[in-house]
């Protein structure tokens, strides 16, 4: 990574030309000039996003062996495999900005990297798998549709591909929850319990209130984010509340109301203390998630060593 | 990288390989991203896992990332008549033994896309800068926003005679397609079981 050169102000003429390109809707590509702060913000966002995909495999992966039917098992395996792939698309996008995948992975394993707060909540029942697909992936898609418009070419392309695949995640989860919501009393209770536990974390995962999101104005001017956290959160609420209610489920927010004047659903206050507690590493299962990720990395060591030895022997044999 | 136990980790930093995917015969190979791999065969397998979990693909190419000479339109403008050397890779592929063949890729649109540069053809040249100059003459329209030239000798393709084994399984996994789920509506689902 280049040193602290970005602390100095960029050349005003180049900055003006750069911002004009973004205003014209052009994509910035690897090799093009960019302000150091643009590069730094992108590395921050893309690496957090990549880690979220990787850690996101854990809450659901634990349920693969307990899926209630072969069809559900095939779907869940494919979904978790997608998350692994999405992590790789995003590490690739970060690599085009001059950081290595190894240093990003090391930061995650050593607990120095952030990832989405939502994955630090436990998956207690099978219905959580459906609710994560419907709500957590539903929230993620809202954010990712916005990021697909991003001015940085490699991030935008990764988002377009991820959105296409995540739509399957969203729909399989919704299908599952609708099935249970229309099922036996115990199935309905399981769906409601999952909604009770995942609703607020899903709202929180879209990030702090705009008033606590100091990076947003610059990110907007440079076309990295084209909507604010609160705007994306409102889209998520407007999309999901009517469908959850139609399914006969109760959104766990006594203050939730439809505002006729604006045409929006208005949610009650979010517990930001809980959000910051989880982001700072003190959520219900932060430690468990990192331990599982480290164990997986250790368990794969012999494969990496074998691959390296095989490749080295092929080179030696060839010469 | 060194692990907390002090052991050196032969970790994730195998060389990076750029991946080009062809969606169907007759369509261009398109740059879709990169993978880390120990050798070309490993890179192709990683490319299939990472980039071909859905239909459709007919062929994959991989090339070592450091064999790609990548230049954007902005870099060409800034360089004027000079070579835009700022982006030149290590020049290992040049051994002075005469012209070699380069594959040419370019991007021509800012439209929303999953892919970057498309394969457009080949040129013969003594080195990557000369190959880019030849490519700009051979493929002038529409104006390119980004160019990649890659020595043909560095590109490894998935085996053509094994294409069904490589790519057909993804086609049958229709449960990965969002279309499999149709329009989901709470009202319609009442009373169904699965």
């Amino acid at each position: 990574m280049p040193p602290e050169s970005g602390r100095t102000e960029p050349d005003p003429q180049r900055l003006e030309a750069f911002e004009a390109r973004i205003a014209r809707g052009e994509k910035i590509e690897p090799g093009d000039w960019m302000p150091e702060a643009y590069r730094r913000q992108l590395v921050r966002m893309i690496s957090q996003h990549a880690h979220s995909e990787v850690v996101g495999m854990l809450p659901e992966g634990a349920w693969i062996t307990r899926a209630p039917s072969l069809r559900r098992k095939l779907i869940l395996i494919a979904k978790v495999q997608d998350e692994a792939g999405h992590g790789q698309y995003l590490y690739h996008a970060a690599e085009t900005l001059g950081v290595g995948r190894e240093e990003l992975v090391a930061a995650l394993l050593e607990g120095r990297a952030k990832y989405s707060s939502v994955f630090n909540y436990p998956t207690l029942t099978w219905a959580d798998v459906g609710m994560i697909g419907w709500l957590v992936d539903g929230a993620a898609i809202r954010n990712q549709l916005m990021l697909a418009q991003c001015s940085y070419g490699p991030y935008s392309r990764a988002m377009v591909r991820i959105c296409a695949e995540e739509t399957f995640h969203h729909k399989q989860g919704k299908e599952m929850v609708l099935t249970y919501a229309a099922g036996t009393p115990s199935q309905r209770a399981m769906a409601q319990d999952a909604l009770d536990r995942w609703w607020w974390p899903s709202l929180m995962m879209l990030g702090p209130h705009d008033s606590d999101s100091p990076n947003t104005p610059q990110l907007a001017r440079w076309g990295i984010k084209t909507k604010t956290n609160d705007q994306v959160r409102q889209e998520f609420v407007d999309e999901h509340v009517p469908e959850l209610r139609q399914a006969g489920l109760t959104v766990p927010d006594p203050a939730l109301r439809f505002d006729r004047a604006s045409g929006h659903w208005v949610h009650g206050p979010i517990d930001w203390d809980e959000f910051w507690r989880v982001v700072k590493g003190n959520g219900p299962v932060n430690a468990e998630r990192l331990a599982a990720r480290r164990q997986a990395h250790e368990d794969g060591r012999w494969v990496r060593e074998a691959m390296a030895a095989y490749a080295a022997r092929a080179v030696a044999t060839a010469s | 990288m060194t692990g907390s136990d002090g052991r050196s980790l032969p970790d994730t930093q195998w060389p990076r390989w750029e991946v080009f995917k062809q969606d169907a015969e007759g369509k261009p190979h398109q740059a879709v991203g990169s993978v880390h791999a120990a050798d070309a065969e490993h890179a192709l397998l990683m490319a299939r896992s990472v980039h071909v979990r859905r239909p459709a693909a007919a062929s994959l190419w991989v090339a070592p990332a450091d064999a790609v000479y990548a230049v954007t339109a902005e870099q060409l403008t800034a360089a004027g008549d000079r070579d835009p050397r700022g982006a030149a890779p290590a020049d290992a592929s040049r051994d002075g033994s005469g012209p070699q063949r380069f594959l040419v890729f370019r991007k021509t649109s800012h439209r929303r896309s999953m892919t970057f540069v498309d394969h457009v053809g080949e040129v013969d040249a003594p080195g990557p800068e000369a190959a880019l100059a030849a490519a700009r003459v051979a493929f002038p329209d529409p104006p390119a926003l980004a160019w990649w030239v890659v020595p043909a000798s560095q590109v490894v393709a998935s085996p053509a005679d094994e294409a069904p084994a490589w790519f057909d399984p993804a086609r049958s996994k229709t449960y990965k397609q969002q279309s499999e789920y149709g329009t989901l509506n709470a009202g319609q689902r009442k009373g169904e079981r699965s």
Side-chain angles (χ1 to χ4, degrees):
Chain A
M1 201 191 292
E4 296 297 292
S5 56
R7 301 296 178 196
T8 57
E9 289 298 313
D11 174 347
Q13 271 185 325
R14 297 192 99 169
L15 183 61
E16 192 180 329
F18 171 82
E19 293 188 344
R21 288 192 64 194
I22 289 173
R24 286 194 298 271
E26 295 183 15
K27 294 283 185 235
I28 307 302
E29 296 294 352
D32 287 345
W33 185 86
M34 63 184 76
E36 173 59 17
Y38 178 85
R39 195 190 74 83
R40 215 165 43 228
Q41 289 285 7
L42 280 168
V43 169
R44 179 184 68 82
M45 286 177 61
I46 297 172
S47 60
Q48 282 186 23
H49 201 157
H51 299 324
S52 299
E53 298 283 355
V54 170
V55 177
M57 288 190 276
L58 299 172
E60 294 180 281
W63 282 92
I64 289 174
T65 55
R66 291 173 283 175
S69 69
L70 180 59
R71 176 170 178 268
R72 292 289 178 205
K73 182 177 286 198
L74 287 169
I75 290 171
L76 185 54
I77 290 171
K79 181 177 189 296
V80 172
Q81 195 181 35
D82 277 350
E83 313 294 4
H86 297 173
Q88 297 306 320
Y89 302 163
L90 287 159
Y91 286 130
H92 160 79
E95 284 176 323
T96 66
L97 293 160
V99 290
R101 185 178 66 172
E102 183 179 46
E103 65 184 282
L104 297 176
V105 170
L108 174 65
L109 295 176
E110 290 163 17
R112 292 183 280 116
K114 278 191 193 158
Y115 55 85
S116 180
S117 58
V118 80
F119 299 119
N120 290 317
Y121 291 85
T123 41
L124 302 180
T125 77
W126 170 253
D128 287 11
V129 171
M131 201 58 79
I132 287 174
W134 195 3
L135 297 187
V136 175
D137 290 306
I141 289 170
R142 282 285 156 201
N143 194 44
Q144 289 165 170
L145 282 170
M146 180 268 289
L147 290 169
Q149 314 289 331
C150 166
S151 60
Y152 187 57
Y155 196 22
S156 162
R157 289 188 285 275
M159 286 296 102
V160 174
R161 190 175 290 272
I162 286 174
C163 284
E165 299 182 354
E166 290 271 350
T167 304
F168 145 62
H169 301 181
H170 186 234
K171 284 194 162 185
Q172 63 81 34
K174 183 175 173 184
E175 181 202 50
M176 197 194 301
V177 174
L178 292 183
T179 301
Y180 297 143
T184 64
S186 69
Q187 284 175 323
R188 287 202 297 275
M190 189 168 71
Q192 181 64 51
D193 167 65
L195 176 59
D196 291 346
R197 287 180 291 107
W198 289 99
W199 175 253
W200 290 109
S202 301
L203 290 193
M204 290 178 201
M205 72 176 272
L206 291 166
H209 262 321
D210 294 349
S211 54
D212 291 321
S213 190
N215 294 320
T216 297
Q218 189 180 57
L219 295 176
R221 197 176 67 213
W222 286 343
I224 298 176
K225 284 175 78 167
T226 54
K227 292 173 184 168
T228 70
N229 294 349
D230 286 338
Q231 284 172 329
V232 175
R233 189 163 20 241
Q234 187 63 54
E235 289 180 358
F236 168 77
V237 170
D238 287 339
E239 177 187 355
H240 288 84
V241 165
E243 295 182 332
L244 288 163
R245 288 162 56 97
Q246 197 184 352
L249 297 169
T250 304
V251 177
D253 177 358
L256 182 71
R257 64 185 175 85
F258 185 70
D259 180 56
R260 279 189 193 287
S262 65
H264 291 301
W265 285 90
V266 181
H267 62 79
I270 292 172
D271 182 353
W272 293 112
D273 290 341
E274 176 179 324
F275 172 77
W276 291 114
R277 202 160 56 238
V278 177
V279 166
K280 288 178 177 153
N282 301 309
V285 293
N286 291 56
E288 191 183 323
R289 294 285 183 249
L290 262 190
R293 188 62 228 135
R294 288 193 189 112
Q295 186 63 45
H297 193 75
E298 260 326 284
D299 290 348
R301 177 194 292 275
W302 70 270
V303 179
R304 297 191 294 276
E305 288 176 348
M307 294 298 301
Y310 181 80
R313 195 182 62 178
V315 170
T317 311
S319 59
Chain B
M1 174 180 174
T2 305
S4 50
D5 55 0
R7 289 169 70 189
S8 167
L9 301 177
D11 213 334
T12 53
Q13 291 303 290
W14 292 312
R16 217 160 52 77
W17 300 71
E18 294 293 350
V19 178
F20 305 88
K21 175 170 166 265
Q22 183 189 37
D23 286 345
E25 280 184 47
K27 296 216 170 149
H29 282 73
Q30 300 174 299
V32 291
S34 66
V35 294
H36 290 254
D39 56 31
E41 182 188 5
H42 184 203
L44 283 166
L45 291 168
M46 294 299 290
R48 185 179 62 167
S49 296
V50 174
H51 293 288
V52 198
R53 292 190 308 283
R54 299 287 193 290
S59 163
L60 286 172
W61 292 344
V62 293
D66 61 10
V68 174
Y69 183 50
V71 178
T72 67
E74 182 185 274
Q75 288 175 307
L76 286 171
T77 305
D81 292 334
R82 295 170 289 115
D83 281 330
R85 297 282 307 204
D91 227 356
S93 59
R94 291 174 75 177
D95 57 7
S97 60
Q100 56 173 319
R101 177 144 293 192
F102 288 84
L103 305 191
V104 178
F105 301 82
R106 60 180 192 166
K107 179 195 170 187
T108 58
S109 164
H110 285 295
R111 276 200 308 272
R112 183 185 153 109
S113 173
M114 289 185 188
T115 59
F116 186 30
V117 288
D118 292 359
H119 180 224
V120 63
E122 282 77 36
V123 293
D124 294 320
E129 298 92 340
L132 175 62
R136 293 176 70 190
V137 173
F139 309 106
D141 296 312
L145 302 166
W147 294 95
W148 281 14
V149 293
V150 189
S153 60
Q154 302 280 307
V155 177
V156 180
S158 56
D161 55 340
E162 294 173 23
W166 274 67
F167 303 117
D168 284 357
R171 294 178 212 277
S172 64
K173 296 177 181 174
T174 54
Y175 54 84
K176 293 186 188 182
Q177 305 298 322
Q178 57 147 313
S179 54
E180 171 100 345
Y181 299 84
T183 307
L184 293 169
N185 176 296
Q188 289 169 359
R189 300 289 305 179
K190 290 264 188 220
E192 288 186 33
R193 300 282 189 278
S194 78

